[in-house]
């Protein structure tokens, strides 16, 4: 290898853009570390493999690559959906450039730009903005409610002391009890101001505790499936708060299933996976843990999916709409992210928690 070749290889290896080089038969010649990270495969082990053994797209895309080789015609594709060998679906933009090597050998250079991260950041920023707006509204509303409630309660107490008959105090007791109930409701809407008490904990201990509680509440009627990745290291969390966050989601799933079918037909899966180079907000984390709570309930109505984390938003007539708002607040305090994907028969809540302290701003 010449000095020039070594320099070119060094530059490619250090590019943040995923770069893949294919031969005329669409077999892998080279991929840089950014491409290895994106597709979660080894370039050295995959050398010589056909492109569909690296990732899959449509038959039309494969034909376009063959035409690029035959006609030496470059092209670009936007928001293509690639399925990696891990089963993960990636949204990417990619550019294909035919290159003549040694005068007569045709190669294809693929420059792949992942869109998932940008789309997720945009969606998350909008979600966080809505969350902050909601918090400000709730705080303002809470202030306007709690002040007169205190006056009403105090006046009822004073009135009770002046009433001549004990039986008449039943009415003032109702006023006092209802004022206390409204104050507690407002406090729950505001969420806890207590900072999480962080300690290293195995996330599977949290999920097992939730499983025990759910099995006790359902009397073993619902099917719980564990799908854990035992290689996930301990994570820095408040154990009790995280139990509450996951339990809120699982209880919602149970209630959704029981409203549609018998509970014994329900199935809730708890799954954990480690993910590399994942962005939460503007911070890129080297490693995060992904917790998925998956149920086979009726799904969340489409008109509620954008607002389910807002206080007082619920899909059930008897729901308070506070469980998911509290869960999101807990996850946010842990510098994490929660997402939801739902359609009839399948709802997935995904929680992402950083597994390391060092992170890179993007």
């Amino acid at each position: 290898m010449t000095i020039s070749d070594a320099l070119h290889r060094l530059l490619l290896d250090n590019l943040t853009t995923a770069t893949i080089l294919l031969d005329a038969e669409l077999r892998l010649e080279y991929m840089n570390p950014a491409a290895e990270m994106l597709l979660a495969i080894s370039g050295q082990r995959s050398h010589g493999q056909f492109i569909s053994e690296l990732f899959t797209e449509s038959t039309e895309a494969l034909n376009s690559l063959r035409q690029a080789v035959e006609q030496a015609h470059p092209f670009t594709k936007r928001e293509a959906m690639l399925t990696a060998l891990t089963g993960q679906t990636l949204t990417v933009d990619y550019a294909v450039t035919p290159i003549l090597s040694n005068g007569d050998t045709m190669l294809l250079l693929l420059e792949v730009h992942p869109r998932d991260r940008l789309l997720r950041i945009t969606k998350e920023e909008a979600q966080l903005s809505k969350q902050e707006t909601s918090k400000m509204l709730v705080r303002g509303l809470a202030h306007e409610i709690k002040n007169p409630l205190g006056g009403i309660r105090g006046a009822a107490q004073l009135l009770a002391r002046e009433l001549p008959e004990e039986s008449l105090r039943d009415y003032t007791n109702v006023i006092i009890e209802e004022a206390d109930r409204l104050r507690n409701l407002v406090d729950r809407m505001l969420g806890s101001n207590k900072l999480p008490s962080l300690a290293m904990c195995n996330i599977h201990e949290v999920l097992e505790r939730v499983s025990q509680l759910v099995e006790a509440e359902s009397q073993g009627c619902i099917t719980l499936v564990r799908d854990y990745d035992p290689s996930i290291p301990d994570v820095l969390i408040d154990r009790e708060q995280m139990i509450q966050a996951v339990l809120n989601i699982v209880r919602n799933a149970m209630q959704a299933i029981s409203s549609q079918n018998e509970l014994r037909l329900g199935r809730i899966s708890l799954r954990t996976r480690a993910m590399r180079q994942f962005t939460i907000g503007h911070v890129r984390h080297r490693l995060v843990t992904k917790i998925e709570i998956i149920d086979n309930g009726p799904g969340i109505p489409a008109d509620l999916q954008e607002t389910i984390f807002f206080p007082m938003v619920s899909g059930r007539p008897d729901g308070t709409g506070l469980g998911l708002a509290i869960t999101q607040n807990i996850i946010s305090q842990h510098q994490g992210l929660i997402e939801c994907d739902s359609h009839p028969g399948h709802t997935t809540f995904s929680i992402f928690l950083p597994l390391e302290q060092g992170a890179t701003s993007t």
Side-chain angles (χ1 to χ4, degrees):
M1 181 182 293
T2 66
I3 295 178
S4 178
D5 290 340
L7 180 60
H8 291 162
R9 183 63 177 263
L10 181 64
L11 291 173
L12 285 171
D13 285 348
N14 286 278
L15 284 177
T16 57
T17 301
T19 305
I20 300 171
L21 190 65
L22 305 174
D23 65 15
E25 296 179 356
L26 304 184
R27 296 185 178 276
L28 181 66
E29 282 287 331
Y30 165 80
M31 66 166 54
N32 68 350
E36 292 180 328
M37 191 176 298
L38 178 67
L39 299 174
I41 57 177
S42 166
Q44 187 174 0
R45 292 182 181 178
S46 303
H47 185 269
Q49 289 186 347
F50 189 63
I51 188 170
S52 60
E53 297 176 275
L54 309 176
F55 59 83
T56 56
E57 201 192 348
S58 61
T59 305
E60 179 186 349
L62 200 59
N63 292 334
S64 297
L65 291 174
R66 290 195 174 103
Q67 288 178 8
V69 173
E70 295 168 0
Q71 302 174 12
H73 181 67
F75 70 92
T76 300
K77 190 167 183 180
R78 304 292 183 187
E79 296 193 7
M81 303 297 292
L82 308 183
T83 303
L85 294 181
T86 58
Q88 183 182 6
T89 301
L90 306 169
T91 305
V92 303
D93 295 340
Y94 65 84
V96 177
T97 307
I99 300 172
L100 276 176
S101 176
N102 298 326
D104 57 354
T105 304
M106 181 63 72
L107 300 174
L108 283 187
L109 177 66
L110 276 68
E111 299 171 75
V112 186
H113 302 270
R115 295 276 298 166
D116 300 80
R117 188 175 67 172
L118 297 175
L119 294 172
R120 184 179 291 111
I121 289 173
T122 302
K123 181 179 178 182
E124 185 185 348
E125 284 180 343
Q127 182 177 323
L128 290 175
S129 177
K130 290 178 182 178
Q131 182 185 359
E132 286 302 314
T133 302
S134 175
K135 281 183 179 179
M136 290 176 62
L137 289 172
V138 168
R139 288 193 188 104
L141 182 62
H143 177 75
E144 295 300 324
I145 291 175
K146 291 179 78 171
N147 280 347
L149 275 181
I152 292 170
R153 192 183 192 281
Q157 287 176 320
L158 292 173
L159 181 60
R161 295 174 189 172
E162 301 297 327
L163 292 174
E165 297 179 23
E166 186 68 29
S167 60
L168 295 176
R169 294 181 183 175
D170 289 342
Y171 298 108
T172 55
N173 288 337
V174 169
I175 297 173
I176 293 169
E177 289 170 3
E178 289 301 297
D180 289 341
R181 186 179 66 83
L182 285 173
R183 184 190 61 195
N184 292 334
L185 176 61
V186 170
D187 287 339
R188 289 178 63 197
M189 287 173 63
L190 289 172
S192 174
N193 290 323
K194 180 183 175 183
L195 293 174
S197 178
L198 301 176
M200 299 305 294
C201 176
N202 189 318
I203 197 63
H204 301 127
E205 291 181 10
V206 171
L207 299 182
E208 282 303 297
R209 178 58 179 159
V210 170
S211 298
Q212 292 170 4
L213 293 171
V214 169
E215 286 173 342
E217 290 178 11
S218 67
Q219 299 179 346
C221 290
I222 198 161
T223 301
L224 280 176
V225 180
R226 283 92 156 173
D227 181 7
Y228 299 159
D229 180 353
S231 68
I232 294 176
D234 290 353
V235 60
L236 191 64
I237 57 172
D238 184 316
R239 183 177 182 274
E240 296 306 315
Q241 284 194 12
M242 198 56 61
I243 289 173
Q244 184 63 55
V246 177
L247 188 59
N248 287 346
I249 298 174
V250 176
R251 278 178 175 158
N252 278 357
M254 287 175 56
Q255 291 164 353
I257 291 168
S258 62
S259 69
Q260 187 82 4
N261 299 302
E262 294 182 32
L263 202 56
R264 62 183 179 83
L265 300 176
R267 178 187 177 95
I268 298 176
S269 299
L270 302 175
R271 178 189 298 165
T272 60
R273 293 292 185 269
M275 298 186 67
R276 298 184 181 277
Q277 302 301 332
F278 189 85
T279 300
I280 299 176
H282 290 285
V283 180
R284 187 177 185 183
H285 296 275
R286 184 177 59 85
L287 193 65
V288 301
T289 182
K290 180 181 182 182
I291 306 163
E292 290 181 303
I293 300 100
I294 307 164
D295 71 76
N296 65 343
I300 300 169
D303 59 337
L304 290 182
Q305 290 188 24
E306 293 296 321
T307 58
I308 55 171
F309 295 110
F310 288 179
M312 311 306 290
V313 174
S314 175
R316 304 193 314 274
D318 58 342
T320 64
L322 295 177
L324 290 179
I326 291 170
T327 292
Q328 186 185 51
N329 186 53
I330 291 172
I331 301 304
S332 296
Q333 287 183 324
H334 286 77
Q335 285 74 55
L337 172 67
I338 181 169
E339 295 179 339
C340 175
D341 178 59
S342 181
H343 55 268
H346 187 95
T347 297
T348 302
F349 280 88
S350 302
I351 297 172
F352 302 90
L353 297 171
L355 278 172
E356 90 292 335
Q357 296 303 303
T360 305
S361 294
T362 58

